[in-house]
Amino acid sequence: MTKNAGLVPLAGKNIKELEELLSPLPRFRSAQIYEWILKGVFSFEEMTNIPSDLKNELPQKFRFFDTTVKSCEEDGKTKKIAVELKDNSKIEAVLLEDGNDRKTACLSTQVGCPAGCVFCKTGSLGFKRNLEYHEITEQFFHLKNLTNEDGIGNIVIMGMGEPLLNYDNLKTAIETFTDKKGMNFSKRRITVSTCGIVDGLNKIAQNGPYVRLALSLATADEDLRNKLMPVTKANPLDKIKEALLIYQKKSGSRITLELPLLGGINTREKDAQTIANFSKGLDTVINLIPWNPVEGLGFEGKQILEPSKPEIENFKNMLERKKLNVTLRLHKGKKINGACGQLGSI
């Protein structure tokens, strides 16, 4: 048993829960501690507006984190951390940085993933459990500790797990990120990526939070998608589109269609046409993601391969000829298994 066993963690909690945990302290004291945590101060001793006797008392009851960073790997400006949870399970989170030094936190929502997409390392692990909301928000603080004074400008919920299968904890985590008295993130700077869980899409469409939404589509050829993404069988594309249309009407935001490109599998003219058909009526941007290699992942008895550069360019041209708005995602974190589809090598 560690010396912190039994102590109540505070970081990652929203202000309401923090007030309950710190009761019977007055609410203004909870607000002070909350503000220090948001600034990245994880030592009661460094909280200058907290009286000395309280600084001595608080560490006897409380700690800051419920999770622990076990390792950190770097690939250029990309950093990947392995985070150990209270039950000794592990997840991964990634800090991304673009050419303009803008930083994005990529967070996980589950230990493993039940969706089982054949091209995703996390999907090959199976599913263990949902993360509690503070286990999601703590990842942000761990990543923030790796940054300089510029901080993190965007959050993408694109790590391990299917976010909409953990809707309640996802919603509370996002409410914590967007709390105007807390982190005050704009909803427009938070993106949730889903493989298309119809019940979850309907929940978020009706109840929010109205953040940016990305659908991991892969292909709109339903037969092929059923093989690549078994979750499609219970979540057909027509029902997914109905939910996306409602979400877009409520949120007013553009929806990203993510297309992991698998060499020789989903880069056909038929795929381009079905994507164009699926996009009709939606305000979308198509994000092409050349598959990041994961050893041992196969499709129909063969190892999945990265698409060639001509294959990528040809498929991009097909989509653009159909008047679709297309972007191409750059590889980031590939060398440390921190890129899209690679998380779970722990």
Side-chain angles (χ1 to χ4, degrees):
M1 184 176 293
T2 68
K3 65 179 181 179
N4 287 330
L7 301 183
V8 178
L10 299 178
K13 303 290 175 55
N14 58 42
I15 184 60
K16 181 179 179 181
E17 189 168 358
L18 207 64
E19 288 173 352
E20 293 173 355
L21 291 173
L22 292 169
S23 178
L25 288 180
R27 292 175 66 182
F28 81 90
R29 285 284 180 229
S30 299
Q32 288 173 329
I33 293 171
Y34 185 59
E35 288 171 8
W36 282 113
I37 290 172
L38 294 178
K39 292 176 183 177
V41 174
F42 303 112
S43 165
F44 294 115
E45 189 60 36
E46 295 179 38
M47 298 180 180
T48 55
N49 54 357
I50 303 298
S52 297
D53 57 343
L54 190 54
K55 287 181 183 180
N56 294 329
E57 180 184 336
L58 288 171
Q60 307 306 313
K61 300 178 181 178
F62 303 101
R63 55 185 165 133
F64 288 96
F65 290 104
D66 203 21
T67 61
T68 306
V69 176
K70 303 302 288 185
S71 66
C72 179
E73 299 177 81
E74 298 187 25
D75 176 9
K77 292 184 176 182
T78 299
K79 298 179 176 69
K80 182 183 76 169
I81 58 173
V83 179
E84 186 172 85
L85 310 178
K86 58 189 174 184
D87 61 358
N88 299 320
S89 299
K90 290 186 178 68
I91 56 169
E92 293 180 324
V94 182
L95 181 67
L96 304 163
E97 188 171 335
D98 66 16
N100 296 314
D101 297 328
R102 290 174 297 200
K103 297 177 180 64
T104 297
C106 178
L107 310 180
S108 296
T109 54
Q110 295 180 314
V111 181
C113 183
C117 302
V118 302
F119 48 82
C120 178
K121 174 65 177 179
T122 310
S124 72
L125 302 177
F127 172 70
K128 185 169 183 180
R129 70 172 176 86
N130 286 328
L131 297 187
E132 298 174 32
Y133 93 84
H134 73 276
E135 292 175 320
I136 300 172
T137 53
E138 279 190 24
Q139 294 171 61
F140 177 87
F141 286 113
H142 288 315
L143 293 174
K144 187 177 179 182
N145 283 340
L146 303 176
T147 70
N148 56 29
E149 64 276 4
D150 295 334
I152 296 172
N154 296 282
I155 296 171
V156 293
I157 316 294
M158 296 183 182
M160 297 174 67
E162 166 49 56
L164 296 187
L165 289 176
N166 190 13
Y167 173 77
D168 290 340
N169 284 301
L170 171 73
K171 187 172 187 290
T172 304
I174 291 174
E175 288 169 350
T176 304
F177 289 134
T178 57
D179 179 6
K180 288 187 173 13
K181 295 182 180 179
M183 297 187 209
N184 196 26
F185 261 86
S186 165
K187 289 185 175 70
R188 296 184 64 80
R189 292 195 289 128
I190 299 175
T191 301
V192 171
S193 177
T194 175
C195 59
I197 306 299
V198 173
D199 286 348
L201 286 169
N202 286 328
K203 283 182 184 177
I204 201 171
Q206 295 299 329
N207 306 304
Y210 297 118
V211 294
R212 293 188 178 275
L213 196 63
L215 173 69
S216 182
L217 185 61
T219 178
D221 175 352
E222 194 132 44
D223 289 338
L224 177 59
R225 195 172 193 266
N226 273 325
K227 296 175 183 177
L228 294 172
M229 305 175 70
V231 72
T232 306
K233 295 172 185 176
N235 298 275
L237 285 171
D238 60 339
K239 297 299 182 182
I240 291 174
K241 184 171 181 178
E242 285 178 16
L244 290 179
L245 286 166
I246 296 170
Y247 184 84
Q248 191 154 74
K249 183 176 181 180
K250 290 282 191 74
S251 67
S253 63
R254 174 176 287 176
I255 289 170
T256 300
L257 300 181
E258 297 172 320
L259 300 180
L261 300 183
L262 315 174
I265 295 175
N266 64 340
T267 54
R268 307 162 300 172
E269 173 65 36
K270 181 178 181 179
D271 296 297
Q273 185 58 56
T274 56
I275 288 163
N277 295 342
F278 183 83
S279 299
K280 287 178 182 177
L282 289 167
D283 179 12
T284 65
V285 59
I286 312 295
N287 191 358
L288 302 183
I289 309 169
W291 186 71
N292 297 296
V294 178
E295 188 176 347
L297 293 190
F299 178 65
E300 295 186 334
K302 297 180 181 179
Q303 169 71 36
I304 298 175
L305 301 174
E306 294 181 76
S308 66
K309 289 184 179 179
E311 185 178 5
I312 295 168
E313 191 61 31
N314 182 54
F315 192 66
K316 183 173 182 286
N317 291 338
M318 286 184 201
L319 294 171
E320 289 177 336
R321 285 196 294 270
K322 299 180 188 303
K323 309 301 181 184
L324 296 173
N325 183 9
V326 184
T327 62
L328 180 62
R329 185 182 297 182
L330 299 176
H331 289 298
K332 292 182 181 179
K334 187 174 172 182
K335 294 179 181 178
I336 56 172
N337 292 320
C340 180
Q342 292 184 317
L343 296 187
S345 303
I346 45 179

